[in-house]
Amino acid sequence: MAVAMMQTPLQLRLQPRPPAVVAARHRRRLQSGFPPPNPRRGGGWCRCCANADAGKAQAKARRAYPYDEIEPRWQRHWEEHRTFRTPDIGHGLDTSKPKCYILDMFPYPSGAGLHVGHPLGYTATDILSRFKRMQGFNVLHPMGWDAFGLPAEQYAIETGTHPKITTERNINRFRSQLKSLGFSYDWDREISTTEPTYYKWTQWIFLQLLKRGLAYQAEVPVNWCPALGTVLANEEVIDGVSERGGHPVIRKPMRQWMLRITSYADRLLEDLDELDWPESIKEMQRNWIGRSEGAELEFSAVDKEGHDLGANLLVYTTRPDTIFGATYVVLAPEHSLLSSLISEEQRVHVEEYIELTARKSELERTDLQKEKTGVFSGSYAKNPATGEIVPIWVADYVLGSYGTGAIMAVPAHDSRDHEFALKYKLPIIKVVSPLNGNCDSEEAYADDGIMINSSSSSSGLNIDGMLSKDAALKVTEWVEANGFGKKKVNYKLRDWLFARQRYWGEPFPVIYRDDTNEMLPLQENQLPLTLPELDDFTPTGTGEPPLTKATDWVKTVEPLSGKPARRETSTMPQWAGSCWYYLRFMDPQNASMLVDKAKESYWGPVDIYVGGAEHSVLHLLYARFWHKVLYDIGVVSTKEPFKCLINQGLILGEVTKVGDHYVLKDDANIRLNARAYKMSKSRGNVINPDDVVSEYGADSLRLYEMFMGPLRDSKTWSTGGIEGVHRFLGRTWRLVVGTPLPDGSYGVGTTVTDEEPTLDQLRVLHKCIARVTEEIQETRFNTAISAMMEFVNAAYKWDTQPKSVIESFILLLSPFAPHMAEELWFRLGNSRSLAHEQFPEGKSEYLKESKLVLPVQINGKTRGTILVDKECSEDDAFQIAASDEKLSKYLTGKGIRKRIYVPGRILNVIPR
């Protein structure tokens, strides 16, 4: 490959900086205390731009090496030669080699493009991918787009631009930005969830769920905004109002598609133990699934005189041992029996409370910190263990979607019930005593202990003096024997609401007969059912989805009978396409099946999956659920989709301190309530990677993001930090290429020699190899970079730079700074890309320390140390000590009475 002629510093200085870069530099100058523009000098920037020579010198100093020539050249080379293409099985892939499937959580391509927080995870996976290729693995490292969903539709509604157009434009921008950073993706495997060739198989999976009874329709409460005339997703509702416009949102029942994820609850729970995931993420999923063992108990409803109302309230409890402490019953406001239990005196109050609750999300209702609210229903229930009459209350901290929608309240031993009972002056009866007898009388005691006040002669149940767990078993056996209830396993996990009243999503592959309203699935050969083009995709205002406006598309016929039918007008949620995309990357062009069995068997599961912790419950739980269904029907060969999960930390916006407050570095008018702040467009602290690449180069950005700190930790962006790694790359460049010529250009050759490396040089090299290899494997990229910096520092002290040593170092550097490494590799006389060269291996014979620090004592008192060979003799050690500048003053001109030498430990010299 021919090397393009490099530009001189003069040519570079004549090229204007991009306006965005200049503007950002000016903002930093002002915030650093430089004066504003001076009108007497034509409005120029006095300290930044008015002095042309200073500006040119600064630009030259910042450009530590010609990255602006190197990076585009090698990006073109990789694209033209398809360097990172992974061949298919049967088309050049050597399946005798081990595989490594490394995957990013694929992005949603927004119009704002990337900010510097996005490449953090992408750079980490790229380092691992390049490393594994060089170790001889077949690496699958693809990229695609999660492009259906609400953001694109909202933007389309605001601008009147079709979401397909904006999505394509955003994808092109994201792709261009990712390529500018040198990521080694196999772009031949690129996919988008919005392409019919892709969502055909999303629809196919839905049909398989439908066949197995895992997809169904039900009346469920949804977030309805009357002002916007549409159903909102949970994330669109904040404190009971719509995120857009701040309009009141209520909960109302609507018929929706549901997926029966609860059928897989136990498997989703049990198989977590097999995964190499952060324990915190596994615990989050365990809590979300929320498996609990307890009992369902019946409380018969009565009026205030104790007359039977003909209704039995089923309550669920994980502590049946505390039944004697149940002093009231609580129903969820949406409980199906509530309307029949409200007394006339309380009806107005209860209905007002129900309406108020309808404006709250489930998250708000279950917030432990919020003040408990409720209202008395006017009816009572009979405690089956005591026979006593207790009041029935309505409170929003009980959810109709969990358990039975009713609880027996035991305020002495549950903090929520305790708080509620104190507020409404309800009885509190202690029935559990701690084993040690110590208990705060002002707080609820929620742990196990010894049962007290727990016997009834009328019911015949006596658990006094029993341990809590034994008492729970006895109560469960008693209620089962007397027909009052049964043992029950419950889950917090709810079935997945799988429909959106939106336009920009996958159509459901079903139709409804007009005459009978019977739902019929499409035949598989009728897929994909494509989304119709709509000019008006705004909400209807009636709750009907926008697709109802596509009348020609909605009207259809039943294929077998030819009778009139209509299509489903809800669409699938954005989660649908992201549930299985990792499988399509294995076989993206297959038109006859979701994924070829041989390809899936070789590539599955994903070996390393990297993404943000914010997706660690819903996306991962949904993907695991679909994967298990596909496993059950023989599409995939593994029980789990993602073997190892890594959550990268956030990159926080750059801040500075003004007085006693922290403000955004680029806008001092924005005061922060914390020293670190997550980057976001709305906060105005986004740093565009395009600007950073323009000013420092892609390799500098990659290196800095890895050098900021451990991958899993959150870090604060610092422009000064990137200048440091940029200087390191400049030193590396000059170490190999040499200093610039008088005209500022660099020669075409290098400074390396063909001499054999010295033993010391080999030791420095192999120490670096061993450390970088270990740190990459453990994803400690920051310390791997430190090791390479130490190598460069040592190499600058050498009289010569042997080619064999420098080549090995360049291979170490290449996963981190691939553009520079490729250029240096080429300059060293290699004719092909280093992407598939063997990664260096540290040799043990060079890792052993040959020297050690030996303490030297004079008359038993340590006076200094000397550096000696491990096999150093006593005479040699003494000669080194005698010639040491610090120690010689104790020995010169004096006879030696005795020497005590312990090899490797100490030399003690006793003068006369």
Side-chain angles (χ1 to χ4, degrees):
M1 185 188 76
V3 178
M5 183 176 294
M6 296 183 181
Q7 294 171 298
T8 67
L10 177 60
Q11 290 170 321
L12 285 166
R13 289 197 296 269
L14 293 176
Q15 295 178 356
R17 290 179 182 269
V21 174
V22 174
R25 186 179 64 185
H26 288 172
R27 287 196 301 272
R28 290 196 298 272
R29 288 273 168 173
L30 274 177
Q31 292 162 10
S32 299
F34 286 107
N38 189 337
R40 294 182 180 179
R41 297 189 180 183
W45 292 83
C46 303
R47 299 284 297 273
C48 179
C49 296
N51 188 332
D53 290 337
K56 293 173 185 177
Q58 184 187 46
K60 182 177 178 181
R62 181 161 288 174
R63 183 182 174 275
Y65 66 99
Y67 60 84
D68 51 340
E69 300 170 19
I70 295 169
E71 293 177 355
R73 179 162 62 240
W74 283 101
Q75 288 164 18
R76 287 193 300 270
H77 175 91
W78 295 329
E79 188 154 2
E80 290 168 4
H81 292 80
R82 299 164 76 194
T83 303
F84 306 111
R85 185 180 70 87
T86 303
D88 265 335
I89 292 176
H91 295 83
L93 186 74
D94 181 2
T95 55
S96 66
K97 295 169 62 176
K99 68 91 179 181
C100 191
Y101 185 178
I102 301 174
L103 184 64
D104 301 291
M105 290 186 184
F106 70 166
Y108 189 93
S110 70
L114 299 174
H115 63 63
V116 293
H118 292 117
L120 179 65
Y122 303 155
T123 303
T125 58
D126 193 60
I127 291 170
L128 292 169
S129 297
R130 291 175 178 274
F131 174 66
K132 288 294 186 181
R133 283 191 201 96
M134 297 172 75
Q135 285 192 319
F137 285 76
N138 288 328
V139 172
L140 183 59
H141 187 42
M143 175 52 71
W145 318 104
D146 185 15
F148 268 136
L150 189 61
E153 186 166 339
Q154 287 181 319
Y155 182 78
I157 292 170
E158 290 172 3
T159 63
T161 309
H162 197 281
K164 182 177 181 180
I165 295 172
T166 57
T167 297
E168 288 177 356
R169 184 167 62 222
N170 295 344
I171 286 174
N172 290 337
R173 173 156 171 70
F174 264 61
R175 187 192 303 110
S176 173
Q177 287 184 296
L178 291 175
K179 286 186 176 182
S180 75
L181 294 171
F183 296 135
S184 60
Y185 294 121
D186 179 358
W187 287 106
D188 287 1
R189 294 175 182 263
E190 180 183 4
I191 60 175
S192 170
T193 57
T194 62
E195 293 299 325
T197 53
Y198 178 85
Y199 67 72
K200 166 185 178 178
W201 298 105
T202 309
Q203 293 171 335
W204 181 86
I205 295 172
F206 177 81
L207 291 178
Q208 311 316 305
L209 294 165
L210 194 60
K211 287 178 186 177
R212 286 155 182 79
L214 296 171
Y216 65 97
Q217 289 181 301
E219 288 278 338
V220 294
V222 297
N223 301 312
W224 171 252
C225 179
L228 297 178
T230 187
V231 170
L232 300 177
N234 284 334
E235 57 270 22
E236 299 172 86
V237 182
I238 301 173
D239 296 330
V241 298
S242 62
E243 183 181 30
R244 184 173 300 279
H247 304 294
V249 175
I250 63 172
R251 299 277 286 176
K252 77 171 189 176
M254 289 183 66
R255 192 161 182 80
Q256 300 283 293
W257 279 104
M258 308 289 293
L259 297 188
R260 214 178 297 276
I261 190 174
T262 50
S263 297
Y264 282 73
D266 282 329
R267 289 168 63 182
L268 289 168
L269 200 58
E270 293 162 4
D271 292 344
L272 281 172
D273 294 336
E274 302 176 14
L275 299 177
D276 180 14
W277 288 16
E279 191 56 39
S280 60
I281 301 303
K282 292 198 282 188
E283 192 59 26
M284 286 171 66
Q285 289 215 356
R286 292 186 187 105
N287 291 336
W288 190 267
I289 296 167
R291 186 183 191 276
S292 63
E293 294 185 4
E296 284 184 347
L297 311 175
E298 282 187 358
F299 282 63
S300 57
V302 297
D303 61 20
K304 58 184 176 182
E305 281 81 29
H307 300 135
D308 196 333
L309 295 178
N312 288 327
L313 295 176
L314 200 62
V315 305
Y316 174 74
T317 178
T318 58
R319 294 290 303 270
D321 55 308
T322 63
I323 189 170
F324 284 94
T327 60
Y328 60 102
V329 169
V330 183
L331 301 186
E334 56 271 23
H335 196 284
S336 60
L337 294 179
L338 177 58
S339 60
S340 63
L341 297 175
I342 305 172
S343 69
E344 287 307 314
E345 297 89 343
Q346 291 295 107
R347 186 166 299 280
V348 173
H349 303 297
V350 174
E351 289 177 351
E352 285 179 352
Y353 186 77
I354 292 172
E355 184 180 347
L356 183 66
T357 302
R359 301 194 185 110
K360 299 180 181 179
S361 69
E362 289 190 358
L363 189 62
E364 290 177 84
R365 288 172 58 179
T366 55
D367 182 1
L368 294 177
Q369 303 304 315
K370 80 174 187 71
E371 183 182 1
K372 303 297 178 290
T373 64
V375 61
F376 176 46
S377 71
S379 295
Y380 298 81
K382 184 180 291 186
N383 186 325
T386 66
E388 294 180 0
I389 304 301
V390 298
I392 299 174
W393 280 71
V394 185
D396 62 8
Y397 74 86
V398 177
L399 302 178
S401 59
Y402 178 68
T404 63
I407 65 164
M408 64 174 201
V410 184
H413 305 292
D414 181 276
S415 58
R416 295 181 310 168
D417 297 344
H418 188 267
E419 182 183 340
F420 191 89
L422 288 177
K423 179 174 180 178
Y424 294 104
K425 298 179 173 54
L426 295 166
I428 300 174
I429 300 174
K430 294 182 180 180
V431 294
V432 183
S433 176
L435 292 174
N436 60 11
N438 297 324
C439 182
D440 186 344
S441 59
E442 302 301 320
E443 300 290 337
Y445 176 72
D447 292 333
D448 290 343
I450 298 175
M451 307 310 302
I452 59 174
N453 303 322
S454 297
S455 66
S456 170
S457 57
S458 60
S459 68
L461 179 62
N462 183 357
I463 54 174
D464 267 341
M466 296 181 69
L467 294 175
S468 297
K469 291 183 179 179
D470 296 334
L473 291 174
K474 183 170 181 179
V475 171
T476 304
E477 291 170 357
W478 179 82
V479 296
E480 287 181 335
N482 289 275
F484 296 140
K486 61 182 179 180
K487 184 177 180 180
K488 180 74 174 178
V489 175
N490 224 331
Y491 301 89
K492 290 182 182 176
L493 181 67
R494 300 293 91 200
D495 279 347
W496 177 6
L497 196 157
F498 194 71
R500 296 291 184 269
Q501 285 64 47
R502 294 288 184 175
Y503 166 67
W504 193 236
E506 298 93 335
F508 282 95
V510 298
I511 60 175
Y512 302 88
R513 283 181 176 163
D514 280 355
D515 54 354
T516 64
N517 206 34
E518 179 186 0
M519 186 275 295
L520 297 171
L522 296 184
Q523 298 299 309
E524 292 179 10
N525 60 12
Q526 295 176 288
L527 302 180
L529 173 61
T530 56
L531 194 66
E533 295 286 342
L534 266 186
D535 294 328
D536 179 11
F537 33 78
T538 57
T540 61
T542 64
E544 291 292 320
L547 275 179
T548 56
K549 300 175 183 180
T551 53
D552 292 341
W553 180 85
V554 174
K555 292 178 180 178
T556 185
V557 294
E558 198 274 307
L560 295 179
S561 68
K563 292 182 178 180
R566 67 189 186 281
R567 301 194 189 281
E568 171 67 72
T569 53
S570 291
T571 53
M572 299 185 199
Q574 184 180 346
W575 302 106
S578 62
C579 274
W580 69 280
Y581 73 104
Y582 59 94
L583 294 172
R584 194 60 177 173
F585 280 136
M586 301 175 186
D587 195 10
Q589 307 304 324
N590 198 326
S592 60
M593 62 179 68
L594 184 149
V595 61
D596 178 80
K597 286 184 178 294
K599 294 176 183 178
E600 185 281 327
S601 180
Y602 179 75
W603 287 115
V606 175
D607 294 283
I608 301 172
Y609 194 32
V610 177
E614 64 271 21
H615 303 296
S616 297
V617 174
L618 294 183
H619 160 60
L620 290 176
L621 200 63
Y622 295 155
R624 293 180 63 220
F625 165 46
W626 276 32
H627 190 89
K628 290 181 183 302
V629 175
L630 294 174
Y631 176 76
D632 290 347
I633 65 177
V635 174
V636 299
S637 58
T638 63
K639 292 192 298 182
E640 288 286 338
F642 313 118
K643 183 179 179 181
C644 173
L645 175 69
I646 298 174
N647 293 130
Q648 86 269 15
L650 297 172
I651 290 186
L652 306 166
E654 191 168 15
V655 301
T656 188
K657 195 171 186 181
V658 176
D660 295 331
H661 305 286
Y662 289 97
V663 298
L664 292 183
K665 185 104 176 189
D666 282 345
D667 190 345
N669 293 318
I670 300 179
R671 182 182 293 184
L672 307 180
N673 56 17
R675 186 170 181 174
Y677 230 54
K678 179 181 177 181
M679 280 192 185
S680 74
K681 185 177 179 182
S682 63
R683 291 186 174 119
N685 62 342
V686 165
I687 296 172
N688 191 326
D690 297 351
D691 295 341
V692 179
V693 170
S694 174
E695 195 162 358
Y696 297 100
D699 283 346
S700 293
L701 175 59
R702 292 168 58 110
L703 211 65
Y704 175 58
E705 296 219 345
M706 295 298 96
F707 191 57
M708 290 170 75
L711 176 63
R712 295 165 176 82
D713 293 354
S714 293
K715 285 83 68 174
T716 302
W717 179 268
S718 168
T719 302
I722 197 169
E723 290 172 351
V725 296
H726 186 64
R727 288 194 296 271
F728 161 69
L729 288 175
R731 293 190 75 221
T732 303
W733 173 262
R734 293 188 298 276
L735 176 70
V736 182
V737 175
T739 55
L741 300 172
D743 65 355
S745 65
Y746 290 89
V748 296
T750 66
T751 61
V752 302
T753 68
D754 290 326
E755 296 179 19
E756 288 295 316
T758 65
L759 183 60
D760 181 60
Q761 288 172 332
L762 289 172
R763 284 173 175 159
V764 171
L765 171 66
H766 284 273
K767 181 180 178 182
C768 183
I769 292 172
R771 188 173 172 198
V772 170
T773 301
E774 179 183 353
E775 304 298 49
I776 291 177
Q777 289 171 333
E778 298 299 324
T779 66
R780 295 190 294 258
F781 304 120
N782 55 324
T783 47
I785 295 169
S786 295
M788 290 186 284
M789 290 177 169
E790 291 172 9
F791 173 89
V792 170
N793 288 340
Y796 262 96
K797 298 175 183 177
W798 299 341
D799 294 332
T800 61
Q801 280 76 41
K803 181 179 179 181
S804 61
V805 172
I806 297 301
E807 278 192 333
S808 293
F809 173 72
I810 290 169
L811 293 175
L812 292 182
L813 179 67
S814 64
F816 298 84
H819 305 91
M820 173 181 281
E822 290 275 24
E823 181 72 14
L824 295 177
W825 186 252
F826 178 75
R827 281 173 170 262
L828 287 169
N830 299 287
S831 59
R832 67 175 190 174
S833 167
L834 52 65
H836 295 278
E837 291 291 327
Q838 183 177 349
F839 199 81
E841 294 184 7
K843 296 182 178 179
S844 58
E845 59 265 33
Y846 299 120
L847 298 176
K848 298 174 183 177
E849 291 292 342
S850 61
K851 293 184 179 293
L852 55 85
V853 175
L854 185 73
V856 178
Q857 293 182 344
I858 307 297
N859 280 326
K861 186 173 182 178
T862 301
R863 296 294 186 179
T865 61
I866 56 175
L867 189 66
V868 300
D869 291 330
K870 278 191 174 182
E871 309 301 326
C872 183
S873 66
E874 180 180 331
D875 288 340
D876 288 342
F878 178 75
Q879 292 302 321
I880 294 171
S883 61
D884 182 85
E885 181 179 353
K886 185 177 179 180
L887 296 169
S888 61
K889 64 183 179 181
Y890 297 103
L891 302 173
T892 301
K894 300 179 181 178
I896 304 301
R897 183 160 60 88
K898 188 178 182 181
R899 293 190 317 214
I900 303 170
Y901 180 61
V902 180
R905 300 288 297 278
I906 198 165
L907 170 65
N908 186 10
V909 181
I910 302 174
R912 292 188 185 278

